[in-house]
C-alpha cells in the first residue's frame, strides 16, 4: 500500500486549472512509480469555476485511477502544504492491494428514510455491512440532508468508520462541484466504501465546544454578524469572555 499527495497553486507560467491538473498528475504518477492508483481524491478551489468540467476528464486521462472522487474546497492540503481561500488544486492518491474500493453518488431524494431497513442503505452505497466497510464522504451541504445521511449510515453500518468533509467555497446551491470518476455533479454526496485489507482511523482536525449561553442574531449582512440579542456583537462576545473561568479565558486568547 502506498499513499501520496500534492498541492498545485498558480505560478507565473502555469495558472490554468488544466495546467495544474496535468502537473499534479505527473507528480503523483512519479511518486507512485508509474502504478495506476486504486483511489484518487481531488479538491479544487472555487476560483476555477469555469474549468470544473476539465477536472475529471484530465485526471482520468492522465492517471487512469480505478476510482476518483472529489469536490470543491475553500481550504486545501497536500504535499505538506496548506492554503486557505486561494486558487489551488490538491490531489491524494493511493495504491491499495487487497482492498475493494466502491464509489457511489446519492442524491437527497434517494436517501432512504431513517426507519427503512439497513438493506436500503446497503443498496445505495453498493456494499453490505458484512464487509465491514469504512467510508469517505464528500457531501454538498446545500443539496443533501447531511444529518440524515450520517444517521442512516450509522444505523446500517454501526461498526464502520465514516470520515470526510463538506464541499465548500460556494455561497448558494449549484456552485459547488462533486466529482465521481469521469462525471461532474452539482448535488448530493459522493463517497467511497473501502473494505478488505485496510484499517481506517479518525483524526479530528479542529475541535470546539460552545461557551456562554445561546444568543439570537439580530443584525447581520450575509456571513458578518453585527448584533447579538440587540447589542453589538463585540460587546456580546466580551460579556461571554469575562464570565469564563481562567483556563477557558486562556484558551480564548489563543
Amino acid at each position: 500500500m502506498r499513499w501520496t499527495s500534492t498541492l498545485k497553486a498558480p505560478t507565473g507560467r502555469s495558472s490554468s486549472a488544466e495546467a495544474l491538473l496535468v502537473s499534479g498528475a505527473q507528480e503523483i504518477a512519479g511518486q507512485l512509480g508509474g502504478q495506476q492508483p486504486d483511489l484518487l481524491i481531488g479538491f479544487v478551489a472555487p476560483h476555477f469555476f469555469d474549468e470544473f468540467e476539465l477536472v475529471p476528464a484530465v485526471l482520468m486521462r492522465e492517471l487512469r485511477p480505478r476510482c476518483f472522487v472529489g469536490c470543491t474546497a475553500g481550504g486545501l492540503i497536500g504535499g505538506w502544504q496548506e492554503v486557505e481561500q486561494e486558487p489551488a488544486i490538491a490531489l491524494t492518491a493511493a495504491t491499495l492491494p487487497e482492498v475493494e474500493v466502491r464509489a457511489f453518488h446519492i442524491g437527497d431524494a434517494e436517501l432512504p428514510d431513517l426507519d427503512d431497513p439497513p438493506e436500503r442503505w446497503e443498496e445505495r452505497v453498493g456494499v453490505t455491512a458484512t464487509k465491514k466497510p469504512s467510508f469517505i464522504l464528500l457531501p454538498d451541504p446545500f443539496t443533501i440532508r447531511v444529518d440524515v445521511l450520517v444517521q442512516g449510515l450509522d444505523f446500517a453500518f454501526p461498526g464502520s468508520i465514516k470520515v470526510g468533509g463538506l464541499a465548500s467555497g460556494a455561497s448558494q446551491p449549484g456552485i459547488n462541484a462533486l466529482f465521481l470518476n469521469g462525471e461532474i455533479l452539482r448535488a448530493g454526496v459522493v463517497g467511497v466504501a473501502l473494505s478488505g485489507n485496510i484499517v481506517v482511523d479518525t483524526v479530528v482536525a479542529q475541535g470546539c465546544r460552545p461557551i456562554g449561553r445561546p444568543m439570537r442574531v439580530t443584525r447581520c449582512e450575509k456571513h458578518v454578524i453585527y448584533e447579538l440579542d440587540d447589542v453589538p456583537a463585540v460587546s456580546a462576545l466580551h460579556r461571554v469572555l469575562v464570565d469564563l473561568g481562567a483556563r477557558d479565558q486562556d484558551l480564548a486568547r489563543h
Side-chain angles (χ1 to χ4, degrees), residues 10 16 31-32 45 48 72 81 106 126 139 146 152 161 168 175-176 212 237:
S16 70
Q31 292 171 353
L32 292 181
F48 300 110
T72 49
Q81 301 178 71
I106 307 174
V146 180
I161 296 293
S168 59
I175 303 299
N176 282 328
L237 179 60

Side-chain angles (χ1 to χ4, degrees), residues 4-41:
T4 186
S5 69
T6 185
L7 185 144
K8 294 296 181 179
T11 64
R13 293 180 298 173
S14 176
S15 59
S16 70
E18 183 172 12
L20 298 180
L21 290 165
V22 170
S23 175
Q26 291 174 345
E27 185 173 327
I28 290 290
Q31 292 171 353
L32 292 181
Q35 294 186 68
Q36 181 182 8
D38 296 300
L39 175 63
L40 176 65
I41 307 173

